[in-house]
Amino acid sequence: MPISNTCVKTGQHSVAMTQIPYPDQPGPGQALIRTTLSTICGSDMHLVDEMPIPAGVPMGHEAIGVVEAVGDGVTNFKAGDRVASGCLACCGMCKRCQEGDHSVCETFNAPGNLLFGAQGEYFLVNGAQAGLAKVPDSLSDEQVLFVTDIMSTGFAAIERAGIRTGDTVAIFAQGPVGLCATAGARALGAGRIIAVESIPERVAMSKRFGADIVLDPADAVAKIQQMTGNRGVDIAVEALGHQATFANACASVRIGGTVSSVGVYGAFPELTMATGGTFIHRKLVTTLCPVGTNRLERLMALIAGGTVDLTPLLTHSMKISDTPAGYDLFRKREGGVLKIALRP
Ligand SMILES: [Zn+2]
Ligand SMILES: [Zn+2]
């Protein structure tokens, strides 16, 4: 029986390492994965600090690993396969999955289908047959780690906004997801990319990932209006989950344009559309991380083709056994931290 040293929530604002036993033989539809690279996500802070997730829940939903064993019904993957797992479980069979909308799978009851336990030496994946993807030998764990969540989410922010070739895109906040949205806007054909961020390391990374200009949040809306002849941008992405960035995104989008919200408004559920009195003839879309084998393979194809390299996001590295210290580092947003590589 594999025993996994895993980071678990121990109460509000606290996590600790615990030994979790996993079965040698996973249940139907499940796969047991031995972690080779994992990381911490901004949404982990919401889960630990704000949400009523009970103590004892194993943390982590972004990881690459090697299949240890599979349960009944999992025929596409076998022990020894190197795989990426989407951060949300999907069945591949229900109506939503058949429409290609795997992140809102009805079988695993989105949004309660989040993967748990990937910040451990082993983790168990539900719906493995539809939710895993083999990692090509030519790609490293570091290159593909973010297809599991933030790359898929950041790209989807642009995709669900219905980007057209040459669109002007403003992206509010350049944390890990916002930076992935910037890389996505560049890869998907944006004309001009205006990022909004004030932390110097994030400003630098934003330019590296494709932003044409990075504005300070204090006067970003006024500058965006100036730069667009008072029309506003075609697409405004909210990537932080705060009232102010959402209001600024609404105030920056042109009539007929789209606000695309991917921030997690954990403790900030009340939003006001500050658009000078009207939000007339604009669109608002929100997005859960797209998942499923096909999605993961498509994202890895972009990486393999050289269009996207997100490895600079891995600013720090530590052992999985030190994950709780990683939470402290991540919360403080100090030392230029973007993503922390967690290794066994
Ligand atoms: Zn995440
Ligand atoms: Zn489904």
Side-chain angles (χ1 to χ4, degrees):
M1 179 177 283
I3 305 285
S4 175
N5 197 24
T6 299
C7 179
V8 302
K9 178 170 177 174
T10 49
Q12 293 306 98
H13 310 288
S14 71
V15 294
M17 298 306 292
T18 302
Q19 308 285 315
I20 296 181
Y22 283 107
D24 289 315
Q25 182 57 40
Q30 293 182 328
L32 181 67
I33 314 285
R34 176 172 53 80
T35 308
T36 53
L37 184 64
S38 183
T39 189
I40 300 171
C41 180
S43 53
D44 289 327
M45 304 305 128
H46 293 294
L47 293 167
V48 169
D49 295 347
E50 297 158 14
M51 297 192 181
I53 306 285
V57 167
M59 298 301 298
H61 54 263
E62 300 168 72
I64 304 297
V66 175
V67 175
E68 271 298 293
V70 296
D72 285 348
V74 182
T75 56
N76 289 346
F77 306 95
K78 60 181 190 310
D81 285 345
R82 208 172 138 239
V83 292
S85 169
C87 62
L88 301 168
C90 58
C91 73
M93 306 285 281
C94 72
K95 287 181 194 298
R96 297 288 87 76
C97 281
Q98 287 187 46
E99 287 165 349
D101 221 356
H102 292 71
S103 55
V104 290
C105 174
E106 292 176 333
T107 305
F108 290 102
N109 289 319
N113 54 345
L114 185 64
L115 172 66
F116 282 96
Q119 287 157 6
E121 293 161 329
Y122 294 88
F123 61 99
L124 209 49
V125 172
N126 291 313
Q129 178 80 345
L132 297 178
K134 286 174 194 159
V135 178
D137 290 340
S138 61
L139 295 176
S140 68
D141 287 358
E142 288 77 7
Q143 280 176 291
V144 297
L145 177 60
F146 303 124
V147 304
T148 62
D149 184 358
I150 61 169
M151 177 185 179
S152 191
T153 303
F155 273 59
I158 307 299
E159 293 168 296
R160 269 174 75 90
I163 188 169
R164 297 171 63 177
T165 306
D167 269 352
T168 296
V169 180
I171 301 164
F172 289 84
Q174 294 288 281
V177 172
L179 286 165
C180 286
T182 297
R186 189 45 81 210
L188 296 165
R192 192 175 202 191
I193 300 172
I194 305 165
V196 181
E197 178 59 63
S198 60
I199 301 172
E201 293 92 346
R202 295 182 177 201
V203 171
M205 196 69 78
S206 178
K207 289 178 180 157
R208 186 168 173 181
F209 278 17
D212 296 298
I213 184 166
V214 185
L215 302 177
D216 191 87
D219 57 355
V221 174
K223 286 217 169 113
I224 286 170
Q225 291 300 344
Q226 255 173 35
M227 291 165 62
T228 56
N230 285 322
R231 281 188 190 87
V233 295
D234 300 300
I235 295 170
V237 176
E238 198 293 330
L240 186 64
H242 282 188
Q243 169 85 38
T245 37
F246 179 77
N248 286 346
C250 291
S252 300
V253 74
R254 68 167 168 82
I255 195 160
T258 302
V259 170
S260 179
S261 169
V262 283
V264 177
Y265 301 89
F268 309 93
E270 290 176 25
L271 298 172
T272 310
M273 288 178 186
T275 54
T278 175
F279 197 69
I280 195 168
H281 202 71
R282 292 163 174 91
K283 234 183 346 188
L284 173 61
V285 296
T286 70
T287 306
L288 264 175
C289 175
V291 294
T293 306
N294 179 53
R295 173 70 174 181
L296 295 170
E297 287 177 352
R298 283 169 178 271
L299 296 174
M300 287 192 278
L302 267 182
I303 294 165
T307 305
V308 180
D309 175 16
L310 298 174
T311 55
L313 290 175
L314 286 171
T315 52
H316 292 66
S317 178
M318 47 178 71
K319 302 284 262 183
I320 286 175
S321 53
D322 293 328
T323 303
Y327 274 69
D328 292 337
L329 178 68
F330 204 87
R331 262 196 206 91
K332 290 178 194 149
R333 292 183 188 171
E334 284 174 2
V337 65
L338 285 166
K339 292 293 268 189
I340 304 167
L342 300 173
R343 302 174 198 279

